[in-house]
């Protein structure tokens, strides 16, 4: 089984699909958690406390990091294998459509952008929250408690350049998901003529929900930083 997953093209694509599915579920969870900060900063901080340096959160963080690494490594390996087999021609899908051509041909580039955004996100949040707790400190470099996630969000998205960078990151994630979610199902043989339009629609819906959910948090907190009345908190 391990040889199949490591050596065969189908096995590698299966690993990509499974790891991608886990990451999509986590992204949806993370988006839902962030939306809480809009309606109740106190509730969001409670969630941050529950997901701090607790053993279950640390195990989940380590597992998530491993899945991200596996997904990215297999993406590079598959891309290199496809180049060797077909030159500049990318991996061919069962059904082609102009609307997915750009995303499908630039998945690795989009992946690098997503990974870069993830690195920045870890610097802005994880390093100032869970990592601070792990080092035994009671405040981070901003003088905030590591569980005060709502104030950290407000500080981060009061900076216009972070707003721009994060929106670009979310846009890259949207493109990545519009093809990636559908591709997960294609790997297991569901992308036939009947299911392709449905799966493509599901992919677009999932990607759009993720984009709008994350972007809403950024936009609303940026609006608060410009004018508290714009966010209806006066």
């Amino acid at each position: 089984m391990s040889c199949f997953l490591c050596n065969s093209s189908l096995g590698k694509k299966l690993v990509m699909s499974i790891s991608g599915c886990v990451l999509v579920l986590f992204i949806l969870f993370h988006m839902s958690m962030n939306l809480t900060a809009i309606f109740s900063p106190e509730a969001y901080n409670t969630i941050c406390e529950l997901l701090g340096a607790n053993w279950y959160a640390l195990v989940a963080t380590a597992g998530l990091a491993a899945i991200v690494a596996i997904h990215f490594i297999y993406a590079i390996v598959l891309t290199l294998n496809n180049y060797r087999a077909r030159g500049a021609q990318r991996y061919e899908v069962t059904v082609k459509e102009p609307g997915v051509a750009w995303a499908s041909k630039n998945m690795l580039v989009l992946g690098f952008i997503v990974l870069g955004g993830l690195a920045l996100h870890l610097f802005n949040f994880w390093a100032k929250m869970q990592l601070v707790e792990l080092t035994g400190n009671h405040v981070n470099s901003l003088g905030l408690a590591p569980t005060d996630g709502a104030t950290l969000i407000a500080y981060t998205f009061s900076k216009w350049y972070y707003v721009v960078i994060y929106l670009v990151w979310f846009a890259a994630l949207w493109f990545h998901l519009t093809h990636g979610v559908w591709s997960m199902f294609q790997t297991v043989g569901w992308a036939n003529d009947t299911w392709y339009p449905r799966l493509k629609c599901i992919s677009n819906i999932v990607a759009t929900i993720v984009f709008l959910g994350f972007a809403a948090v950024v936009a609303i907190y940026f609006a608060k930083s410009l004018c508290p009345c714009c966010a209806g908190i006066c």
Side-chain angles (χ1 to χ4, degrees):
M1 182 66 175
S2 60
C3 292
F4 168 73
L5 296 178
C6 295
N7 299 329
S8 73
S9 177
L10 181 58
K12 294 186 181 96
K13 291 170 187 174
L14 184 61
V15 171
M16 283 286 293
S17 297
I18 295 173
S19 60
C21 181
V22 174
L23 292 176
V24 169
L25 292 175
F26 170 77
I27 288 171
L28 289 170
F29 162 76
H30 193 33
M31 179 207 67
S32 301
M33 183 184 77
N34 284 7
L35 286 173
T36 305
I38 297 177
F39 305 103
S40 175
E42 295 78 14
Y44 179 74
N45 286 346
T46 299
I47 296 173
C48 291
E49 186 174 356
L50 291 173
L51 298 179
N54 303 303
W55 69 267
Y56 51 84
L58 295 176
V59 170
T61 300
L64 188 65
I67 292 172
V68 170
I70 290 171
H71 191 76
F72 189 69
I73 290 171
Y74 270 71
I76 293 176
V77 170
L78 277 170
T79 301
L80 292 176
N81 289 346
N82 291 335
Y83 268 119
R84 292 193 190 102
R86 301 183 179 92
Q89 184 180 347
R90 295 292 203 276
Y91 152 59
E92 292 186 1
V93 296
T94 305
V95 184
K96 292 185 177 180
E97 179 183 320
V100 300
W102 188 88
S104 64
K105 291 180 180 179
N106 293 277
M107 285 296 283
L108 189 61
V109 174
L110 291 168
F112 273 111
I113 297 175
V114 171
L115 196 64
L118 176 61
L120 177 65
H121 190 61
L122 291 175
F123 170 78
N124 281 334
F125 290 94
W126 179 78
K128 294 179 176 65
M129 298 179 75
Q130 191 178 72
L131 181 59
V132 171
E133 288 191 74
L134 286 173
T135 57
N137 295 316
H138 299 292
V139 295
N140 56 34
S141 59
L142 299 175
L144 301 173
T147 56
D148 191 0
T151 302
L152 185 56
I153 289 177
Y155 169 81
T156 302
F157 297 125
S158 67
K159 314 295 183 183
W160 68 267
Y161 46 87
Y162 279 140
V163 172
V164 173
I165 292 172
Y166 270 78
L167 290 178
V168 170
W169 181 31
F170 299 152
L173 185 60
W174 184 89
F175 280 109
H176 196 75
L177 290 177
T178 55
H179 178 74
V181 173
W182 164 77
S183 184
M184 291 189 305
F185 295 106
Q186 185 218 7
T187 298
V188 296
W190 285 13
N192 52 39
D193 291 340
T194 301
W195 274 96
Y196 174 77
R198 301 171 185 174
L199 296 176
K200 179 55 186 169
C201 181
I202 292 172
S203 299
N204 288 337
I205 291 173
V206 171
T208 302
I209 289 174
V210 168
F211 176 84
L212 292 178
F214 281 123
V217 177
V218 173
I220 290 174
Y221 270 87
F222 182 60
K224 286 182 179 183
S225 71
L226 295 177
C227 173
C229 294
C230 294
I233 65 174
C234 288

